[in-house]
Each structure stands twice: as structure tokens, then as C-alpha cells.
């Protein structure tokens, strides 16, 4: 066992447990302060090496003002499959993704955001707990019994050619998303706020380490937001053109370009706390595999809570479950903090 993975998992689990143990007083008419949506992106390790848009509000950062956020996500993934033509996928790992998110308002209606992330991969310690959880609810084990618990192996092969591997026990820089967002419609009584966004993925990650694809991905999308009383709904549809890693050349496989869909729902519990949930549908890594471990969409269900830690700061914690249980992580625990500057 390597200490960083145990420390990360223990910290996130403790934050989640501590937040759930406190039951704050409910308010009948809380102030209308929007704290969502959960700004999580899919934690499938291959997808982390391509451009991924985060769920966010259609409202934009005030001009000349900045905000700084830190997002930490600890994930357990187990995918183990063999298909025709020498296709083999083994993703048996736990990952710790830490990202610094800076946003700056460049006009009354537009802002720009940059994500600086590092990824740590290890054998982890959650396998036994996840197996017990699956057994308790009568859920399939996904073949976990075929491998020893708490071991590490990540590789994807086609006919003996390795097209992906993630370097373990090192902190590796991920590719860097740079996203421009402009609000084009203000929220009114019968109209949601609408914004457009476009982004590129600067290839700062290492293709050989498995944290980048070596190319400039690009994409665009549309955001919407509507508040009704103490409820706020958010949504987004995005399209990403992902570049083909050099390791895929000669394998007959290519990365899949496609749409993602994001939905968020917030309930303001009182003047300081909101309950958050969301759904994020993410396209598969590739359609050139015939096994579900890589060619299936991922549908993440986010459940979390956010609360104000000051007039311009906010903390949130929660977890994500992949409802399709095909190619995404089995579980993700996340925590984040954001402050206005």
C-alpha cells in the first residue's frame, strides 16, 4: 500500500461521513443563493486525458472578478474484459485527481476558466468495501472475484499492441482545459438563463504516462439554468472532438467524438446549505472495441451537499455512482472548496 492513496481516501470519506452526521435546521424560506451544480467530470482514467467540460451555471463570473476552486476526487475502477481480435482491457486501480480551477470575468457576460490537474494512481484499499456493498444489495460483482483484492494493473491491448497504460505511484500532470463561456440570455420569470461555451485541451499531460493524448482537443456546448423558489435546475449539452493518441496508430481503433449531457438539481435546505444531485452522460472512450469495458457510455449519478464557509467561500462533498456499471468507475468520492477573490 502506498500512503498517498490511503490518505486521500480516508480524508474524503471522513469529510463525507462528517457532513452526513450533521443534520442542520431546515428553513422555510432560505435566501436565493445558488451553490450548484456539482462541478465533477467523469473520472474514467482514459477520458481524463481528453477535453471534458464540467457542469456549471449558465451565470458567468462578474467582470474583473476571479474565483479559485480546488476539486479532489478519489475513484475506484474495475474493468476486466476480453474480446475478439485480441482485445483485452484491465483497469484495476484507484485514482486521486486534484484540480485547481481558476475563473475570471472578462466582461459583463463572459468569463474564462482554466483547470490545472494532477492524477495519482495506485492499488488502493476500497475493493473489499465495494464487494460487500454489491453483495448487500444483490448487485453483480463485475468479475471482481477473478482478481486479487487491492492490486494494480491498467492496460488496454489490441492483438498484442498496447494502446493505453497508466503509470502508477506518481503524481502526473493532466491535460489542461481552457474554456470560454458567454451568457446570451438572462434568466427572467418565464425564461431560463442560457450560455454558450467553447474550449480547448492544452496537451500538458504525458501520453506515455497515460494522462494525456498528445493533441489539442476542442469542443463547444450550451448551458441553461432556471430557479423556481428554493430549487435551481441546470443543464448542458456539449460536443468534443478528441485527438487520437499515437499509441492507437496501427491498432485499428480510434477515440470516439461525441456529445455529453449534464443535468443538475439543487434544493436550498437553509440560508447556508444546499442539497445537490446531478446526472452526467458521457460518451464512450471508443466504438472500435466490441466489449463493454470501453465502448459503453457512462452515466454518473452525483449526490452531494454544499454549504457556505464564509460570505465568498463554499465547501462541497459527495459521491458519484456509475449507473451503467460498464466502463466507468464503480464509485467516486469528491470534495471541493471555492472562494471568490
Amino acid at each position: 500500500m502506498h500512503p498517498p492513496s490511503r490518505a486521500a481516501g480516508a480524508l474524503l470519506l471522513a469529510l463525507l461521513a462528517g457532513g452526513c452526521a450533521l443534520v442542520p435546521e431546515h428553513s422555510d424560506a432560505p435566501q436565493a443563493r445558488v451553490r450548484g451544480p456539482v462541478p465533477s467530470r467523469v473520472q474514467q482514467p482514459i477520458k481524463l486525458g481528453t477535453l471534458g467540460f464540467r457542469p456549471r451555471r449558465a451565470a458567468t463570473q462578474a467582470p474583473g472578478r476571479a474565483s479559485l476552486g480546488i476539486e479532489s476526487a478519489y475513484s475506484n475502477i474495475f474493468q476486466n474484459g476480453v474480446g475478439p481480435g485480441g482485445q483485452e482491457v484491465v483497469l484495476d486501480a484507484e485514482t486521486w485527481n486534484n484540480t485547481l480551477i481558476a475563473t475570471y470575468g472578462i466582461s459583463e457576460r463572459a468569463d474564462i476558466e482554466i483547470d490545472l490537474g494532477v492524477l495519482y494512481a495506485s492499488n488502493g484499499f476500497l475493493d473489499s468495501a465495494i464487494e460487500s456493498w454489491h453483495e448487500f444489495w444483490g448487485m453483480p460483482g463485475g468479475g471482481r472475484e477473478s482478481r486479487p483484492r487491492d492490486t494494480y494493473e491498467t492496460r488496454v491491448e489490441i492483438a498484442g499492441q498496447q494502446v493505453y497504460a497508466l503509470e502508477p505511484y506518481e503524481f502526473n500532470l493532466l491535460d489542461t482545459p481552457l474554456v470560454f463561456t458567454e451568457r446570451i440570455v438572462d434568466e427572467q420569470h418565464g425564461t431560463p438563463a442560457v450560455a454558450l461555451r467553447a474550449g480547448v485541451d492544452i496537451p500538458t499531460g504525458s501520453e506515455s504516462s497515460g494522462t494525456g493524448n498528445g493533441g489539442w482537443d476542442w469542443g463547444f456546448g450550451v448551458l441553461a439554468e432556471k430557479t423556481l423558489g428554493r430549487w435551481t435546475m441546470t443543464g448542458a449539452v456539449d460536443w468534443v472532438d478528441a485527438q487520437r493518441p499515437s499509441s492507437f496508430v496501427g491498432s485499428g481503433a480510434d477515440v470516439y467524438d461525441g456529445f455529453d449531457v449534464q443535468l443538475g438539481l439543487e434544493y436550498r435546505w437553509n440560508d447556508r446549505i444546499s442539497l445537490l444531485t446531478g446526472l452526467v452522460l458521457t460518451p464512450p472512450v471508443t466504438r472500435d472495441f466490441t466489449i463493454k469495458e470501453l465502448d459503453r457510455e457512462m452515466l454518473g449519478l452525483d449526490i452531494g451537499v454544499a454549504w457556505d464557509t464564509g460570505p465568498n467561500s463554499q465547501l462541497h462533498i459527495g459521491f458519484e455512482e456509475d449507473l451503467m456499471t460498464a466502463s466507468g468507475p464503480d464509485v467516486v468520492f469528491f470534495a471541493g472548496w471555492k472562494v471568490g477573490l
Side-chain angles (χ1 to χ4, degrees), residues 13 21 34 50 69-70 89 93 109 141 145 148 162 172 180 183 188 194 208 217 234 268 271 275 277 295 317:
L13 287 170
V34 181
T50 62
I70 299 174
V89 177
R109 291 183 169 270
E145 68 283 352
Q162 182 171 280
N172 289 301
F180 171 83
R183 189 176 74 257
Q188 298 180 7
V194 179
S208 60
D217 306 331
T234 55
R268 282 172 284 281
D271 286 342
L275 307 181
T277 187
D295 77 343
I317 58 173

Side-chain angles (χ1 to χ4, degrees), residues 191-203:
T191 307
V194 179
L196 301 177
R197 64 180 172 185
V200 297
D201 210 28
I202 305 169

Side-chain angles (χ1 to χ4, degrees), residues 11-302:
L11 176 61
L12 291 173
L13 287 170
L15 284 171
L16 183 60
C20 293
L22 301 175
V23 181
E25 181 180 357
H26 185 264
S27 174
D28 291 331
Q31 61 179 339
R33 181 175 182 178
V34 181
R35 301 175 181 90
V38 175
S40 63
R41 57 173 297 189
V42 63
Q43 296 298 312
Q44 207 278 356
I46 305 177
K47 295 291 286 187
L48 285 174
T50 62
L51 175 63
F53 288 105
R54 292 183 181 276
R56 61 159 288 171
R57 300 182 61 190
T60 52
Q61 185 76 33
R65 301 295 300 273
S67 66
L68 193 65
I70 299 174
E71 292 294 323
S72 186
Y74 191 86
S75 312
N76 180 288
I77 185 169
F78 182 89
Q79 304 297 342
N80 189 24
V82 177
Q87 300 178 9
E88 185 172 5
V89 177
V90 181
L91 297 176
D92 184 4
E94 291 182 11
T95 60
W96 185 24
N97 180 10
N98 292 282
T99 307
L100 184 68
I101 305 171
T103 308
Y104 182 76
I106 58 177
S107 74
E108 289 288 343
R109 291 183 169 270
D111 63 36
I112 192 163
E113 176 183 292
I114 188 168
D115 292 12
L116 298 173
V118 293
L119 185 68
Y120 182 89
S122 75
N123 54 309
F125 64 99
L126 289 176
D127 285 357
S128 179
I130 292 174
E131 289 176 19
S132 298
W133 176 261
H134 288 171
E135 183 179 355
F136 178 80
W137 291 105
M139 301 165 62
R144 285 179 173 269
E145 68 283 352
S146 63
R147 291 179 54 84
R149 289 176 177 171
D150 301 329
T151 57
Y152 181 88
E153 186 175 1
T154 62
R155 58 184 173 86
V156 178
E157 296 181 357
I158 301 179
Q161 177 181 340
Q162 182 171 280
V163 298
Y164 178 79
L166 179 61
E167 189 72 26
Y169 314 123
E170 293 181 0
F171 287 96
N172 289 301
L173 187 66
L174 291 164
D175 283 356
T176 302
L178 181 65
V179 180
F180 171 83
T181 303
E182 182 168 7
R183 189 176 74 257
I184 59 172
V185 176
D186 294 327
E187 181 176 359
Q188 298 180 7
H189 178 68
T191 307
V194 179
L196 301 177
R197 64 180 172 185
V200 297
D201 210 28
I202 305 169
T204 52
S206 168
E207 190 175 353
S208 60
S209 297
T211 56
N213 61 9
W216 289 72
D217 306 331
W218 60 275
F220 57 88
V222 59
L223 299 147
E225 174 185 341
K226 181 62 179 174
T227 294
L228 298 172
R230 66 196 308 157
W231 298 87
T232 294
M233 296 163 284
T234 55
V237 177
D238 304 289
W239 185 84
V240 170
D241 182 278
Q243 301 305 303
R244 186 188 196 190
S246 61
S247 59
F248 276 53
V249 175
S251 69
D254 200 355
V255 294
Y256 183 74
D257 304 326
F259 289 94
D260 70 66
V261 179
Q262 304 167 356
L263 300 173
L265 183 64
E266 173 180 350
Y267 177 79
R268 282 172 284 281
W269 184 262
N270 58 29
D271 286 342
R272 294 186 58 197
I273 296 174
S274 292
L275 307 181
L276 308 174
T277 187
L279 285 172
V280 178
L281 178 65
T282 305
V285 172
T286 179
R287 288 294 194 191
D288 297 320
F289 269 61
T290 59
I291 53 177
K292 65 181 180 62
E293 283 76 11
L294 279 191
D295 77 343
R296 295 290 192 276
E297 292 81 5
M298 288 154 274
L299 181 60
L301 170 64
D302 297 322

